[in-house]
Amino acid sequence: MESAHTQRRVAKRSSNACSRCRRQKIKCSGLQPCDGCSKRKLTCIFDERDNKILVTQGYISNLQQKIARLEHRQAGVYSPPESNHVDQDANRAVTDSGPEAGVLQYDEPALDPQSGAQGTHYTSPSRAQMESEASDLTNPLTTTPSTFMSASNGRMFYLGTSSNWSFSRRVLSMTHEHVYKAPLPTAALLFDGSAYDLGWDGSRSTPGPGTLVIPSLDYAIYLINAVKFHCGQLFHLSDEEDFMASLHKFYSDSDGRIEKAGLWYIHFLLMLAFGKIFILQKNQGRRPSGADFFVKALQLLPDVSALCREPIVSTEILCCIALYLQSLDFRHSAHNFIGQAMRMALAHGMHTDMPISHLGEHLVQRCRKIWWTVYILDRQMTSLMGLPQSVRDDDVYCQLPSFSGSIQRTAALSMQIKLARIIAEINSTIYGMNGRLNKKFLISTKAALESIAGLADELRQSFPLLLDEPFGGVSRMSAHLHLLYHQCIVLATRPLLFCCLKIRFESPPEIDSLIASRKVRSLLLMCTESSQQILNILDSLQVQGLLETFLPFDLDSLFVSTMVLLVGRVVDPRLLESRSPWLQKSYTMFEEMVSGGNLIADFRRSEVQRLDEMLSDLSTAQSQTLSGSVVLPQSGGLHQTHSRVPLQSTMPSTASLPLCQDILPPHPDIGNDSSYGDDLTAEQIMAVANSIESEDAEWISRAMIENSIWDIE
């Protein structure tokens, strides 16, 4: 009987149940992971808010003093720290020692007057105090002046919020000021339109290139086929049937053929410009191959009033110009031309469900292809500029086009559209008015990650990379989609990484408490994991000779992922094992792009090297103040060996920091050449997203605002 009674007592439901068992109201073993989740191979998450913790009086006093300073700055009124309302998480601290032992003791849980549930009892703040706290959570990107940077020639450039270029400038500027106590010199930095020289000032009256040598028919077809290979799977730049019919007609009519060609001739010159740079991959000084064709096309381009008379071919021409300029890093001009294409398409009703019965099958299918190309390019270029999106998805109801004999291309276009919409969501929430590092910042990040997670399984199943297959080649289309997918994750999570870098520079003890949060470290791990996976994909493309050296997408992926990994190594050394081999792989890919004639890649490589050198100088300076070395635990998201890493003497031991093994399972290291590993699954991303709650968002937001995040004037 004694034994049976004991067994019944053991079988009681655990008071410490995981989130899943609580949600389903089933018995939980209380272990981590619990028996139920282990059997079902699910991620087991325990709500840390239910844990009772012991904190010192000094810890609470520090929190109160920080709140007092913040209220003093925002409201201009100082109140004694003892009367301030402390963080709700701190109110959960309970101890049996009492105040006499130097430990703060809080009241027993009381019934909530609204819900009747048990909750911690504390004195409610006044209305004025609550309004003061609400004002403290103002978005710093909207309440402070926007940030600009001056080039060496005096031209000012706006640092857009979501721009890759802007992110790198902010990181370089902040790091240089922290390491060398001086502003970042801009003479050697790359600014818009400064890498290449087209040899034309933009004036129609300025003489352009001399007599153009139009290639022979067979060579022209060869160049056009190169454009189809490099661009045709991603974007619609021309209607093959109409374009090739006009091509043969052009070469068959030797008498006044240019005068009769009209807009098609401009279109033809643009295709030749693309084909030349794809085939030759070299420059004439700072002029890319085929630049003469491009400049001549711009000189012949009529006024917009004339373009509107032929909106279909005009929109295709504007897309070609925008993509070419974006590839040359003329980002402002490219964004302007894609904006013209967007308005041309809207005015012609391409965003609507165009009636096939009235317009014909061929015309409608062509307009659908044009519209979605404009839509995708506009979303991506606007994000790279860090500007608000111009068209709402609620106003778009164009159907997907059909591709003769290729269902996969329709599915690929659908995935591009979904990723473009996620980019717009990230821009409007995390980087927008309601999400720029205010109390909704992490909640917006959670929503974005949930949207990304919704595409994970579809992407893996429909467009597998097969990077581990010994005889299987990587699909260029699949690689592009996976790169775009991981860039969405990086775009959504790198603001937090930047915040941690700024706090690391300015308040090292505070960053340790910030990244001690499992939820924060999970987001940082996700950012660095996706950056490493980007390098994995690019490395596989390089091995097969498919690394793109002119179109900007591979270079953008390479640049931003390398910058993120360099920053991540400083924010928390446990996020990455060492500077190699991932950094060496990155430099190798930069070298190939430079050797392929990409002048922008040369600048990007030098900027990465500059950041690496500054951070290395910082590590050297820190090592001189060390009191010793500590053994870092293995990170939950990466395969790492236990290594001794020097830390600042002001930093607490990292051995006590929580790991993320219950959020992100081990992920293959980038240095393992035999296996590139799998992408993050939808379940893993959702586990991280679901771990973010409003209490965490408000606490982290206060830390960000107190450290004046993004204010790097």
Side-chain angles (χ1 to χ4, degrees), residues 1 14 54 82 183 206 208 253 302 317 345 371 389 425 483 608:
M1 296 294 293
S14 171
L54 187 70
E82 290 78 6
T206 302
D253 184 6
I317 288 173
W371 167 255
Q389 300 290 342
E425 177 188 347
L483 288 172
V608 167

Side-chain angles (χ1 to χ4, degrees), residues 137-158:
L137 299 177
T138 303
N139 182 346
L141 284 180
T142 57
T143 58
T144 59
S146 54
T147 307
F148 290 78
M149 178 173 280
S150 176
S152 58
N153 60 3
R155 181 181 172 188
M156 299 298 296
F157 289 88
Y158 165 61

Side-chain angles (χ1 to χ4, degrees), residues 358-621:
H358 182 66
L359 300 174
E361 176 75 22
H362 179 75
L363 179 61
V364 170
Q365 291 296 336
R366 181 176 180 179
C367 288
R368 289 174 179 175
K369 294 172 185 177
I370 292 173
W371 167 255
W372 289 119
T373 291
V374 173
Y375 176 92
I376 292 168
L377 287 175
D378 178 69
R379 285 289 191 268
Q380 294 181 5
M381 292 182 184
T382 300
S383 176
L384 290 172
M385 288 291 293
L387 302 176
Q389 300 290 342
S390 58
V391 176
R392 299 187 312 157
D393 285 330
D394 292 342
D395 298 325
V396 177
Y397 43 100
C398 175
Q399 296 186 29
L400 287 175
S402 59
F403 295 90
S404 178
S406 179
I407 300 177
Q408 188 75 354
R409 286 193 63 184
T410 303
L413 177 59
S414 176
M415 180 59 66
Q416 281 185 282
I417 295 168
K418 293 174 183 177
L419 290 169
R421 285 177 172 162
I422 289 178
I423 290 174
E425 177 188 347
I426 294 171
N427 286 351
S428 63
T429 56
I430 297 175
Y431 296 92
M433 185 66 69
N434 295 326
R436 296 177 187 170
L437 306 181
N438 58 15
K439 64 180 180 179
K440 296 181 180 179
F441 166 58
L442 284 187
I443 304 304
S444 299
T445 303
K446 173 181 179 179
L449 290 177
E450 289 173 345
S451 298
I452 296 172
L455 300 181
D457 292 339
E458 178 184 353
L459 182 63
R460 290 158 59 91
Q461 294 171 8
S462 301
F463 302 95
L465 282 175
L466 305 176
L467 297 180
D468 292 329
E469 296 294 328
F471 303 107
V474 178
S475 164
R476 182 65 252 197
M477 170 56 77
S478 295
H480 178 78
L481 294 176
H482 281 263
L483 288 172
L484 191 57
Y485 169 82
H486 283 289
Q487 285 195 76
C488 288
I489 296 177
V490 172
L491 187 65
T493 54
R494 76 181 179 197
L496 180 60
L497 183 69
F498 180 86
C499 294
C500 291
L501 178 67
K502 185 169 176 59
I503 300 175
R504 166 68 73 194
F505 286 163
E506 298 181 357
S507 305
E510 293 187 18
I511 187 59
D512 297 317
S513 62
L514 183 64
I515 63 177
S517 166
R518 182 178 62 191
K519 302 173 177 83
V520 173
R521 291 202 67 244
S522 296
L523 289 172
L524 296 179
L525 272 172
M526 182 173 289
C527 186
T528 54
E529 291 276 359
S530 282
S531 296
Q532 291 189 90
Q533 192 67 0
I534 286 173
L535 294 185
N536 287 336
I537 298 170
L538 293 174
D539 180 62
S540 180
L541 291 173
Q542 183 187 25
V543 170
Q544 298 184 48
L546 293 175
L547 192 66
E548 185 59 64
T549 58
F550 179 67
L551 294 179
F553 310 110
D554 286 0
L555 178 57
D556 283 343
S557 299
L558 175 61
F559 179 58
V560 71
S561 59
T562 307
M563 295 289 286
V564 162
L565 292 174
L566 287 173
V567 172
R569 188 182 62 189
V570 175
V571 167
D572 187 354
R574 295 170 302 169
L575 295 174
L576 296 162
E577 180 179 3
S578 64
R579 54 185 289 138
S580 62
W582 59 265
L583 188 57
Q584 184 57 47
K585 286 178 179 286
S586 177
Y587 283 138
T588 300
M589 287 182 278
F590 275 119
E591 291 289 347
E592 176 160 328
M593 291 183 177
V594 172
S595 64
N598 193 317
L599 300 183
I600 305 165
D602 196 16
F603 281 94
R604 298 286 186 241
R605 177 186 57 183
S606 65
E607 292 171 8
V608 167
Q609 290 174 334
R610 190 169 194 173
L611 179 62
D612 186 28
E613 291 169 359
M614 288 192 293
L615 296 177
S616 297
D617 291 343
L618 179 63
S619 299
T620 301

Side-chain angles (χ1 to χ4, degrees), residues 616-628:
S616 297
D617 291 343
L618 179 63
S619 299
T620 301
Q622 290 177 352
S623 64
Q624 297 174 358
T625 64
L626 296 179
S627 59

Side-chain angles (χ1 to χ4, degrees), residues 18-55:
C18 70
S19 300
R20 176 181 169 275
C21 293
R22 285 182 184 274
R23 187 169 57 253
Q24 298 188 2
K25 297 181 179 181
I26 60 177
K27 182 173 65 177
C28 182
S29 66
L31 302 175
Q32 191 168 2
C34 71
D35 294 343
C37 292
S38 297
K39 291 178 181 179
R40 293 167 178 80
K41 298 182 179 180
L42 298 175
T43 302
C44 187
I45 303 174
F46 283 81
D47 193 341
E48 292 182 334
R49 295 176 302 171
D50 294 330
N51 296 339
K52 295 181 179 180
I53 61 173
L54 187 70
V55 297

Side-chain angles (χ1 to χ4, degrees), residues 253-271:
D253 184 6
S254 59
D255 184 18
R257 57 185 180 181
I258 293 179
E259 290 75 11
K260 297 178 182 178
L263 285 180
W264 177 88
Y265 181 65
I266 298 174
H267 203 174
F268 174 57
L269 293 176
L270 293 171
M271 298 294 280

Side-chain angles (χ1 to χ4, degrees), residues 129-403:
Q129 196 171 1
M130 293 175 66
E131 291 176 351
S132 175
E133 289 180 1
S135 65
D136 291 343
L137 299 177
T138 303
N139 182 346
L141 284 180
T142 57
T143 58
T144 59
S146 54
T147 307
F148 290 78
M149 178 173 280
S150 176
S152 58
N153 60 3
R155 181 181 172 188
M156 299 298 296
F157 289 88
Y158 165 61
L159 298 184
T161 54
S162 61
S163 164
N164 290 342
W165 178 84
S166 173
F167 175 76
S168 67
R169 288 299 178 273
R170 293 175 187 270
V171 170
L172 283 168
S173 179
M174 183 172 62
T175 304
H176 191 278
E177 291 181 7
H178 177 74
V179 175
Y180 302 120
K181 312 303 179 186
L184 174 69
T186 60
L189 298 178
L190 178 65
F191 287 87
D192 181 82
S194 60
Y196 290 92
D197 182 8
L198 293 174
W200 180 50
D201 62 3
S203 172
R204 300 293 176 88
S205 60
T206 302
T211 303
L212 286 177
V213 179
I214 301 298
S216 62
L217 176 60
D218 55 349
Y219 188 43
I221 293 175
Y222 174 63
L223 294 177
I224 292 169
N225 285 335
V227 180
K228 289 168 56 179
F229 174 78
H230 287 269
C231 303
Q233 296 184 74
L234 304 177
F235 309 111
H236 172 89
L237 299 182
S238 67
D239 182 80
E240 183 174 1
E241 181 179 338
D242 288 358
F243 186 88
M244 296 305 292
S246 298
L247 176 71
H248 289 287
K249 181 179 179 181
F250 175 79
Y251 276 91
S252 64
D253 184 6
S254 59
D255 184 18
R257 57 185 180 181
I258 293 179
E259 290 75 11
K260 297 178 182 178
L263 285 180
W264 177 88
Y265 181 65
I266 298 174
H267 203 174
F268 174 57
L269 293 176
L270 293 171
M271 298 294 280
L272 293 180
F274 272 111
K276 278 281 189 177
I277 193 64
F278 286 140
I279 295 299
L280 297 182
Q281 294 188 353
K282 64 180 181 180
N283 307 300
Q284 300 169 349
R286 292 175 55 205
R287 284 173 62 87
S289 298
D292 290 346
F293 294 113
F294 182 76
V295 170
K296 188 63 176 180
L298 290 185
Q299 289 184 317
L300 294 175
L301 190 69
D303 183 76
V304 66
S305 59
L307 292 176
C308 289
R309 301 189 192 112
E310 299 183 57
I312 296 177
V313 66
S314 294
T315 309
E316 292 174 337
I317 288 173
L318 292 171
C319 284
C320 289
I321 295 173
L323 182 58
Y324 190 90
L325 289 171
Q326 184 74 22
S327 301
L328 297 183
D329 203 44
F330 285 78
R331 295 176 295 109
H332 290 76
S333 300
H335 185 256
N336 189 286
F337 273 102
I338 200 63
Q340 292 185 49
M342 172 66 75
R343 281 152 184 78
M344 188 84 67
L346 288 169
H348 196 62
M350 296 185 194
H351 63 296
T352 67
D353 186 12
M354 302 176 75
I356 295 177
S357 59
H358 182 66
L359 300 174
E361 176 75 22
H362 179 75
L363 179 61
V364 170
Q365 291 296 336
R366 181 176 180 179
C367 288
R368 289 174 179 175
K369 294 172 185 177
I370 292 173
W371 167 255
W372 289 119
T373 291
V374 173
Y375 176 92
I376 292 168
L377 287 175
D378 178 69
R379 285 289 191 268
Q380 294 181 5
M381 292 182 184
T382 300
S383 176
L384 290 172
M385 288 291 293
L387 302 176
Q389 300 290 342
S390 58
V391 176
R392 299 187 312 157
D393 285 330
D394 292 342
D395 298 325
V396 177
Y397 43 100
C398 175
Q399 296 186 29
L400 287 175
S402 59
F403 295 90

